Amino acid sequence: MTDFSAWTQACQARIEGVLAECLPASRIAPQRLHEAMRYAVLGGGKRVRPLLAFAAGEVSGADVGRVQHAAAAVELIHAYSLVHDDMPAMDDDALRRGKPTVHVEFDEATALLVGDALQSLAFDILASQPLADDAATQLKMVQLLAQASGSRGMAGGQAIDLASVGKPLDLTELEFMHIHKTGALIRAAVLLGAHCGSLDETAHTSLDHYAKCIGLAFQVVDDVLDAEASTATLGKTAGKDAADNKPTYVSLLGVTRARELAQELRADAHAALAELGAPAERLRQLADFVVERTF
Ligand code: GRG
């Protein structure tokens, strides 16, 4: 097995190529919109969700040519969410992935359309690429991503987030918000990758549990990094949660307990994979990466 760093680099290069191919060329009309879509998606980001999809695909013995398109669809939804989240009506941020946000580099109307068009493109890919052994599974995958990104998934989580600024959420309410805002798409990445191959119901349930733990761990660590890391390291504005008076794991638990919670979630994620053996090794490594990351 190649080392983790070589594997992530190979997956990141692969997903970059697939995304570059799926996105309309900037010479095609409307040029400015296509240029802005490519600006939003290409050349940045950790690509955690695609990595999770590739790793879950290894567990289900999926063809990587299938997984790469499922992974691209999830990453396009993620990129759209970042573009909209950065807009003045939401988080109002000027820096993302180390460069000016889309509404700053282009304009607000373009940023809105970029998000809309990236979301449509994600579903176009899911519907048009051969991803699964049968049409019913592929349809289920379309539904999975739709539900993960909709009002009972990511968009709903974002709505709760916006409504909670300056309000004292307790830990259960904070968790509910993050399960939707961040967790739903991370879960979709794992499950879509798995659905590209074949697995029994028990294995799907294990992956689902793993994904839920990782989704929360990702957010806990995100809160810690927002409090502790620099803007230069993160490539986005650090310290924003406290400045915006947002409830976070750090504001509720403090940094030390938040870090412990991330470790507990990592242990739960590993435990969920216990029965899946060697093919789940990349997922174990990704759990470690999510919790130990510094950016
Ligand atoms: C606008 C419908 C809508 C939803 C926005 C994901 C999201 C919901 C907002 C992003 C704000 C935020 C900081 C969320 C916390 C965790 C998170 C998703 C961080 C960004 O994801 P990374 O770290 O980013 O994977 P990269 O740039 O590496 O892809």
Side-chain angles (χ1 to χ4, degrees):
M1 185 179 262
T2 53
D3 72 22
F4 181 63
S5 153
W7 178 79
T8 54
Q9 281 170 35
C11 290
Q12 284 160 344
R14 179 182 276 269
I15 197 67
E16 187 76 13
V18 173
L19 289 165
E21 211 170 285
C22 291
L23 284 158
S26 25
R27 66 185 147 68
I28 295 170
Q31 284 96 338
R32 188 174 160 79
L33 177 59
H34 289 153
E35 191 194 333
M37 288 166 71
R38 299 181 76 86
Y39 177 89
V41 175
L42 299 177
K46 297 177 286 297
R47 309 300 195 199
V48 166
R49 294 151 194 82
L51 290 172
L52 285 165
F54 284 120
E58 289 192 9
V59 177
S60 68
D63 173 58
V64 75
R66 286 182 180 180
V67 182
Q68 67 184 16
H69 286 109
V74 177
E75 186 67 11
L76 288 170
I77 296 285
H78 171 58
Y80 123 67
S81 80
L82 297 180
V83 173
H84 280 189
D85 181 67
D86 288 332
M87 292 184 69
M90 297 210 193
D91 221 28
D92 193 10
D93 218 318
L95 188 69
R96 173 68 66 183
R97 293 177 166 174
K99 54 186 191 181
T101 46
V102 175
H103 69 276
V104 169
E105 183 71 13
F106 293 84
D107 54 74
E108 279 186 42
T110 302
L112 208 54
L113 291 171
V114 163
D116 295 341
L118 292 179
Q119 176 159 213
S120 301
L121 182 57
F123 286 102
D124 184 355
I125 292 169
L126 271 195
S128 59
Q129 293 291 331
L131 299 180
D133 288 337
D134 54 83
T137 304
Q138 183 140 353
L139 206 53
K140 193 172 167 188
M141 292 167 75
V142 175
Q143 185 187 28
L144 224 152
L145 190 62
Q147 290 178 345
S149 45
S151 65
R152 299 182 71 187
M154 181 183 73
Q158 179 77 347
I160 300 169
D161 187 353
L162 292 171
S164 69
V165 175
K167 287 201 186 131
L169 293 191
D170 65 22
L171 209 53
T172 309
E173 291 167 327
L174 188 71
E175 188 173 297
F176 183 82
M177 174 177 86
H178 289 313
I179 284 172
H180 292 81
K181 189 179 104 170
T182 315
L185 200 58
I186 286 181
R187 173 174 178 261
V190 172
L191 297 184
L192 288 182
H195 275 99
C196 291
S198 83
L199 279 179
D200 64 27
E201 218 29 60
T202 316
H204 272 295
T205 306
S206 301
L207 286 185
D208 199 354
H209 187 64
Y210 164 87
K212 285 174 182 160
C213 296
I214 285 304
L216 261 190
F218 187 90
Q219 186 60 53
V220 176
V221 172
D222 208 68
D223 286 357
V224 171
L225 291 175
D226 184 74
E228 293 207 317
S230 69
T231 297
T233 310
L234 296 179
K236 60 179 181 179
T237 314
K240 234 177 158 273
D241 295 337
D244 293 347
N245 198 17
K246 272 192 176 177
T248 67
Y249 283 98
V250 170
S251 70
L252 257 70
L253 300 175
V255 168
T256 307
R257 178 65 199 122
R259 282 196 183 282
E260 280 170 13
L261 177 60
Q263 292 296 348
E264 287 163 18
L265 288 163
R266 181 227 302 248
D268 285 352
H270 275 261
L273 301 176
E275 302 296 312
L276 297 176
E281 192 51 27
R282 293 299 182 204
L283 286 177
R284 292 186 192 94
Q285 291 173 332
L286 279 169
D288 297 342
F289 169 74
V290 161
V291 171
E292 283 161 12
R293 72 194 169 101
T294 53
F295 58 96

